[in-house]
Amino acid sequence: MLKEKIEALTSEINGLIAGNLDEIEELRIKYLSRKGAINDLMADFRNVAPEDKRIFGPLINQVKQLAFDKINGLRDQINNGNGSDNGNADLDLTRTPYPIQLGTRHPLSIVKNEIVEIFQRMGFTLADGPEVEDDLHIFTKMNFAADHPARDMQDTFFVEESKLGDVTKNILLRSHTSSVQARVMEKQQPPIRVICPGRVYRNEAITARAHCFFHQIEGLYIDENVSFTDLKQVMLTFAQELFGPDTKIRLRPSYFPFTEPSAEMDISCHICGGEGCGFCKHTGWVEILGCGMVDPNVLELCGIDSKKYSGYAFGLGVERITNLKYQVSDLRMFSENDKRFLEEFESAN
């Protein structure tokens, strides 16, 4: 069924025509917007069997690129005066004769989109959830103990406390995007392969190295016979796609309430090539994310049989990765909207 949809959409896109820029914009919305035909294919892709994702993933990407190329080509025809109306229909005589300076993508958006694209090529689909969450999905279903420090006001922004009978429900700003994973596991049985990008909030002092809000991307894969080896290979592929084919990784034992075993992942410093420099503190390694095998308690709390299924999870900070790629020394620059800073990323769009 998905194959027929891809073939039909490819034929439809190849036959597109447009007479002016308004019609081209309608085509862009129809095929490339969030509610467009390409996004509908991605929705169907989520239900494809895991062994078929490697087949259909590249085909969907080809259709998406075809739509981009076709629509951009039609736009170029109109702008160059080769359209059916010779470009006169869209001539705006009130427009200033001086060049209009175009904006740029935010560096965090550039890096986030690059990371998301890498994992989508590996078969992960996007998942989203609310930023204002409840204690159940933020902490309880992620195996946080009742007295865990992260529940304290020093780390978490609590919005309100409500009671329904004898049950107390805390509403808070999510402190990690793991809550999205909990919601996915509640509604979907394995196989599950998702990434969850989003903004998170923590009650911290704003400095050059910390902020009260930042951005995370967390990933989750659950299926039968998932092992730590699978996790390591995915992490290596991700690191080499993002930082270059010569990138090496190492995993150090760590602790997270929702994974066991857990690890912190370092990459070889891409500035000095692992030789040691001031950026990597002369160690040759830079930490970029945390990961591990999903704790069986988390699976059971979310309604998944931990005796049948296993999985891995990982989480990284977008600001951290952006710092590594562009060597931005002060986190506050990402949220100050300084035009001079943002213009430095024009070539990265």
Side-chain angles (χ1 to χ4, degrees):
M1 185 64 179
L2 181 57
K3 182 179 180 181
E4 286 76 7
K5 284 186 177 181
I6 293 174
E7 292 175 348
L9 191 57
T10 300
S11 177
E12 184 177 330
I13 292 172
N14 280 323
L16 293 180
I17 58 173
N20 54 55
L21 293 178
D22 289 337
E23 292 181 3
I24 291 175
E25 178 62 14
E26 290 176 3
L27 292 176
R28 186 194 68 79
I29 294 173
K30 179 179 178 181
Y31 292 99
L32 297 173
S33 68
R34 287 192 174 184
K35 296 183 179 180
I38 303 295
N39 206 45
D40 289 343
L41 287 181
M42 294 302 299
D44 293 338
F45 179 71
R46 298 189 186 100
N47 300 320
V48 171
E51 60 270 17
D52 294 332
K53 288 185 182 293
R54 293 182 180 179
I55 299 174
F56 289 109
L59 293 178
I60 293 176
N61 286 334
Q62 290 175 12
V63 177
K64 184 177 180 181
Q65 188 61 49
L66 175 64
F68 271 116
D69 294 342
K70 185 69 175 181
I71 292 172
N72 287 335
L74 292 172
R75 184 180 290 110
D76 290 340
Q77 285 182 2
I78 298 296
N79 290 334
N80 294 332
N82 296 325
S84 59
D85 58 5
N86 293 323
N88 294 324
D90 296 298
L91 182 63
D92 184 1
L93 297 177
T94 65
R95 183 174 177 177
T96 173
Y98 302 102
I100 297 176
Q101 186 174 5
L102 299 178
T104 63
R105 289 189 182 275
H106 195 280
L108 294 180
S109 296
I110 296 171
V111 173
K112 184 199 77 171
N113 293 341
E114 186 176 358
I115 294 171
V116 168
E117 183 183 2
I118 290 171
F119 282 110
Q120 283 184 322
R121 293 202 304 267
M122 290 191 281
F124 287 79
T125 57
L126 281 174
D128 195 12
E131 294 184 11
V132 181
E133 260 289 8
D134 56 42
D135 180 278
L136 177 67
H137 293 91
I138 289 285
F139 295 128
T140 304
K141 292 207 170 186
M142 288 292 109
N143 203 34
F144 282 77
D147 57 352
H148 195 283
R151 295 175 181 261
D152 193 276
M153 283 291 291
Q154 293 180 358
D155 293 318
T156 306
F157 286 109
F158 284 87
V159 178
E160 65 179 7
E161 183 180 280
S162 59
K163 285 191 175 183
L164 182 61
D166 296 332
V167 179
T168 300
K169 187 176 183 180
N170 289 317
I171 305 299
L172 54 144
L173 300 181
R174 66 184 182 190
S175 54
H176 51 202
T177 51
S178 300
S179 57
V180 182
Q181 299 179 18
R183 290 187 175 275
V184 170
M185 286 187 283
E186 281 181 341
K187 298 176 182 178
Q188 179 181 340
Q189 284 295 304
I192 297 172
R193 195 196 301 256
V194 296
I195 48 172
C196 316
R199 181 179 293 182
V200 298
Y201 307 84
R202 293 183 188 174
N203 193 4
E204 297 183 2
I206 299 175
T207 67
R209 299 177 61 84
H211 211 292
C212 61
F213 71 86
F214 52 98
H215 300 78
Q216 281 188 337
I217 297 180
E218 297 198 25
L220 174 71
Y221 176 44
I222 300 175
D223 204 344
E224 296 183 41
N225 303 316
V226 178
S227 68
F228 202 94
T229 302
D230 300 320
L231 169 62
K232 182 178 179 182
Q233 185 58 49
V234 167
M235 292 296 96
L236 176 61
T237 301
F238 162 67
Q240 292 181 340
E241 286 284 327
L242 190 62
F243 294 102
D246 295 329
T247 304
K248 298 180 177 61
I249 68 170
R250 71 176 184 183
L251 299 170
R252 295 177 288 103
S254 186
Y255 167 77
F256 304 109
F258 35 84
T259 54
E260 178 59 38
S262 303
E264 299 277 2
M265 190 180 96
D266 304 330
I267 62 168
S268 54
C269 181
H270 63 289
I271 296 176
C272 64
E275 297 295 326
C277 64
F279 187 78
C280 62
K281 300 179 181 178
H282 301 283
T283 64
W285 297 94
V286 182
E287 177 191 334
I288 65 166
L289 59 81
C291 58
M293 301 300 294
V294 179
D295 193 298
N297 288 340
V298 172
L299 297 177
E300 295 293 343
L301 288 168
C302 294
I304 295 176
D305 186 355
S306 63
K307 295 181 180 178
K308 181 178 180 181
Y309 297 106
S310 58
Y312 61 72
F314 56 88
L316 56 91
V318 180
E319 281 84 350
R320 175 67 170 166
I321 302 297
T322 307
N323 279 345
L324 293 177
K325 285 183 71 68
Y326 299 119
Q327 300 179 46
V328 179
S329 59
D330 192 333
L331 282 178
R332 292 170 292 193
M333 298 179 72
F334 290 130
S335 55
E336 289 177 348
N337 209 27
D338 189 320
K339 186 178 178 182
R340 296 166 300 178
F341 170 70
L342 298 178
E343 285 176 345
E344 296 180 13
F345 297 89
E346 286 183 346
S347 62
N349 282 279

